[in-house]
Amino acid sequence: MASLNPLNGNLDLRKAKHLLRRATFNFSKNQLESFTGTTALNAVNTLFTPTTNALPEPYDPLPTDAPDGFWTSAPELPNTFDDQRRKRAVITGWWWHNAMSETSLKHKLSFFLHTCFTVAKDDGAGAATYYYDYLRLLEFYAFGSIKSLAKKIPLDNAMLEYLDNTRNNKNNPNENFAREFLELFTILEGEQLGAGNYTNYTETDIQQAAKVLSGYKIQEDRSIIDAETGLPTGYINEDLHDTDNKTFSAAFGNATITGRNSPPEIIDELSDFVDMVFSQEETAKAYCRKLYRYFVKSNWDDEVETDIITPLAQQLISNDYNLEPVVKTLLCSQHFYDADDTDAADEIIGSIIKNPLQHLSEMCAMFNVSYPNPTTDALNFYNDFFFRFIHNTYFLFAGMGFFNPEEVAGYPAYYQEPLYDRNWFSSNTLIGRYRLIESFIAGENTISNGDIHAIIDTVKFVEDNIANASDPVLLVTEIADLLYPEAIDEDRTNYFKSFLVEDGFPDYYWTGTWNNYLSSNDNVTVKIRLDALITAMVNAAEFQLM
């Protein structure tokens, strides 16, 4: 029986790896060792500890003769700066470095919120600075209430631009944002009952929602600051807002939202609308299904729906849609660690294909990739390493528009059945995945070309992290224990060992080679073999899973 009962005992290595991979982007041996032996509750509480971003704001090092620098806090209008597309990429580099600088659920949950309230940064989201505000809004609510976020997102400048709600007026309605708010961001469709009508809402509800959301406008200079979040926000033009009462369908109990005619009252009208949508159990279930797919597994049966999704939804409602208690319950549960049954066919650990962001981040954290410091070497970090190599090359070839999904629905891995996370891995995405480790080992872009200003020292990694490096079998198994969700068998161990010791040769050939390196500090031979071993182990099927 699927169970949300807390996991008993302490986390062993296998369970600690599982939690850290699912809950953070910064996955290294040090973190793994600190979580092994503690309880799931203590570990998850640690991951919910509030953090401060290592980089307070992004920095644009271009143009080199007079950098735009910290342009997001400049007094000029955001759209007066050049290279907006590159600046949006710079902002995602800022976000990624912050995620890599902490072991926390904050960035994992802010990315989850991005999958719930999607804004594609290069598809009509406006100036780069607006996207910076959008990402900060997601971070603000990462440990908070998703319902509160739903009340703030309609006035986010990037969202107003992205889904055209800044052009939604009482005499010229635009239903784009209202439709996506119901269909994709909150309650979802449910079973279709007729043309444009679904179990959870009807076409009439979209029309009424658009009226609630009319008159919302972007504030180009970001001079209006929200009192609760401290972040820039759009504004309401009451002359363009539909002040009539809005009556919704039977899907919402024929509820009527009273129309208002002043900005503070129109905000109350929005609050009433969001409260109405979030009072539906289907809204809570929609988010809990998304959480389950994000943290646990892409597919589930009726038992999981009854024993996991439904009680989580009830907990979400009772906590006013605050994510922290619900995520804690899930990540501390027997079910999350696959400890609630003996069915070998429904394994949870190692069941999700990593997205390209997780693939990159784990590799950088585990192997301690040396990449430029964004504070002291901004040009090489933001422009050469992140923008040219990671953003424009790796993510492109790995099949992920970073914070730029092609559809408002988001990344297919989180909504498109039947493949879900298997969408991340295909013949079209192999180049990006397989050549990333090659690029880091070579210190150059092997996907296309150019200097990446980043490198993995495989010899140092082994010397610093592997206790039994002179024994080829133990060397392989210890690396596998760090890289893979599950232990590997003898056949896989022997396959990987062949990169250190040629077939037919005894193991002591590697032992002598390694000991010779330790005594002479000549790493030429061991580096060649370890580079080949690490490349093979990272590009193996086992590393693609978490």
Side-chain angles (χ1 to χ4, degrees):
M1 177 178 176
S3 175
L4 286 173
N5 289 334
L7 180 74
N8 296 320
N10 296 334
L11 299 177
D12 57 15
L13 175 66
R14 178 174 178 261
K15 292 182 176 67
K17 285 190 293 184
H18 177 59
L19 173 62
L20 278 170
R21 281 197 173 94
R22 299 292 177 92
T24 183
F25 294 113
N26 186 9
F27 177 85
S28 69
K29 184 181 180 183
N30 287 339
Q31 278 96 36
L32 185 58
E33 289 176 342
S34 69
F35 275 60
T36 302
T38 189
T39 66
L41 179 59
N42 286 340
V44 173
N45 282 338
T46 298
L47 292 170
F48 270 105
T49 303
T51 60
T52 300
N53 283 338
L55 296 176
E57 59 183 314
Y59 181 90
D60 188 352
L62 296 179
T64 53
D65 56 341
D68 286 336
F70 299 110
W71 89 99
T72 58
S73 57
E76 292 88 353
L77 286 173
N79 60 6
T80 60
F81 291 94
D82 293 332
D83 287 340
Q84 289 288 335
R85 182 182 180 278
R86 182 178 54 77
K87 280 181 166 60
R88 286 189 290 269
V90 164
I91 287 166
T92 63
W94 161 84
W95 184 94
W96 179 76
H97 179 76
N98 284 329
M100 293 299 294
S101 300
E102 59 184 37
T103 304
S104 167
L105 266 157
K106 181 177 74 175
H107 284 84
K108 203 77 175 209
L109 279 171
S110 70
F111 193 78
F112 168 74
L113 293 176
H114 166 64
T115 71
C116 295
F117 295 96
T118 300
V119 176
K121 72 180 193 322
D122 297 324
D123 192 20
T129 308
Y130 301 155
Y131 207 80
Y132 170 61
D133 295 336
Y134 162 77
L135 291 183
R136 291 193 294 161
L137 183 65
L138 301 185
E139 283 190 12
F140 185 88
Y141 285 105
F143 292 169
S145 167
I146 199 166
K147 182 169 78 170
S148 296
L149 173 60
K151 294 180 179 181
K152 300 296 183 182
I153 203 75
L155 276 165
D156 175 76
N157 285 312
M159 182 65 83
L160 280 165
E161 285 275 30
Y162 178 58
L163 289 180
D164 308 314
N165 206 52
T166 192
R167 287 168 279 283
N168 176 22
N169 304 318
K170 64 180 181 181
N171 296 322
N172 187 22
N174 187 306
E175 299 175 356
N176 197 17
F177 176 67
R179 183 177 302 278
E180 309 301 16
F181 188 86
L182 295 176
E183 179 182 338
L184 301 176
F185 296 169
T186 58
I187 197 168
L188 310 187
E189 293 174 338
E191 182 182 351
Q192 187 167 6
L193 302 177
N197 293 326
Y198 300 89
T199 310
N200 295 340
Y201 65 85
T202 69
E203 197 67 22
T204 297
D205 296 321
I206 292 173
Q207 296 164 2
Q208 297 303 300
K211 293 178 181 179
V212 171
L213 297 160
S214 60
Y216 289 43
K217 304 298 172 187
I218 66 166
Q219 180 69 24
E220 292 186 357
D221 65 2
R222 301 164 68 236
S223 60
I224 301 175
I225 305 299
D226 180 77
E228 293 178 68
T229 65
L231 298 172
T233 184
Y235 73 99
I236 295 171
N237 184 333
E238 62 267 36
D239 294 332
L240 298 176
H241 177 71
D242 190 318
T243 59
D244 292 340
N245 292 345
K246 292 86 178 174
T247 300
F248 290 80
S249 74
F252 294 102
N254 301 116
T256 296
I257 303 294
T258 303
R260 274 82 151 191
N261 56 21
S262 70
E265 292 175 325
I266 294 169
I267 291 295
D268 292 338
E269 184 180 334
L270 170 65
S271 181
D272 289 347
F273 166 67
V274 173
D275 286 344
M276 178 193 74
V277 174
F278 278 70
S279 69
Q280 309 299 308
E281 186 179 13
E282 278 304 311
T283 301
K285 285 186 175 181
Y287 285 123
C288 288
R289 291 179 188 122
K290 288 182 178 182
L291 282 168
Y292 191 90
R293 185 165 289 122
Y294 189 76
F295 283 111
V296 185
K297 201 174 183 182
S298 290
N299 296 284
W300 57 89
D301 56 19
D302 291 341
E303 180 182 314
V304 169
E305 184 72 21
T306 300
D307 296 338
I308 304 296
I309 303 297
T310 298
L312 284 178
Q314 293 166 351
Q315 185 182 15
L316 192 60
I317 292 172
S318 65
N319 284 278
D320 202 27
Y321 282 84
N322 191 299
L323 287 173
E324 183 171 343
V326 176
V327 173
K328 278 186 177 180
T329 295
L330 182 60
L331 299 189
C332 291
S333 70
Q334 295 175 14
H335 182 72
F336 177 71
Y337 298 96
D338 210 5
D340 54 356
D341 62 43
T342 57
D343 184 358
D346 69 344
E347 296 299 327
I348 288 172
I349 296 177
S351 65
I352 293 179
I353 294 176
K354 295 173 189 172
N355 67 33
L357 170 60
Q358 187 74 28
H359 186 77
L360 163 73
S361 302
E362 275 193 34
M363 199 180 301
C364 287
M366 180 57 70
F367 292 109
N368 194 25
V369 172
S370 174
Y371 64 79
N373 186 313
T375 301
T376 59
D377 194 4
L379 180 63
N380 283 332
F381 172 76
Y382 283 112
N383 197 60
D384 293 352
F385 170 69
F386 195 85
F387 176 60
R388 292 181 177 174
F389 176 56
I390 299 299
H391 183 276
N392 283 5
T393 305
Y394 164 67
F395 278 129
L396 176 66
F397 282 85
M400 184 183 202
F402 191 39
F403 282 108
N404 196 50
E406 294 181 0
E407 304 291 339
V408 183
Y411 306 97
Y414 301 116
Y415 73 89
Q416 192 174 87
E417 58 182 339
L419 294 179
Y420 292 113
D421 54 293
R422 283 178 287 172
N423 280 291
W424 292 126
F425 198 84
S426 70
S427 58
N428 294 326
T429 65
L430 288 179
I431 292 178
R433 282 183 178 262
Y434 284 1
R435 291 190 179 173
L436 180 62
I437 184 64
E438 296 173 8
S439 296
F440 280 140
I441 286 177
E444 60 184 36
N445 185 349
T446 64
I447 302 173
S448 54
N449 60 75
D451 191 348
I452 65 174
H453 301 281
I455 198 163
I456 289 175
D457 186 336
T458 58
V459 179
K460 181 172 174 54
F461 165 74
V462 168
E463 192 168 3
D464 291 347
N465 293 279
I466 308 303
N468 298 288
S470 63
D471 184 320
V473 173
L474 294 178
L475 170 60
V476 167
T477 54
E478 287 182 30
I479 294 177
D481 281 343
L482 293 176
L483 299 187
Y484 302 153
E486 303 284 16
I488 58 175
D489 61 22
E490 184 178 357
D491 286 344
R492 291 299 277 166
T493 300
N494 288 334
Y495 166 72
F496 291 126
K497 189 183 74 169
S498 68
F499 291 92
L500 302 175
V501 182
E502 294 182 22
D503 288 343
F505 286 81
D507 289 355
Y508 64 73
Y509 271 72
W510 167 255
T511 304
T513 301
W514 179 254
N515 289 335
N516 181 63
Y517 154 68
L518 293 178
S519 63
S520 68
N521 205 33
D522 181 356
N523 71 356
V524 174
T525 302
V526 294
K527 184 180 187 313
I528 291 172
R529 297 185 187 182
L530 288 175
D531 285 353
L533 172 65
I534 296 299
T535 299
M537 295 188 77
V538 166
N539 286 342
E542 292 93 335
F543 189 74
Q544 313 310 313
L545 302 173
M546 68 174 187

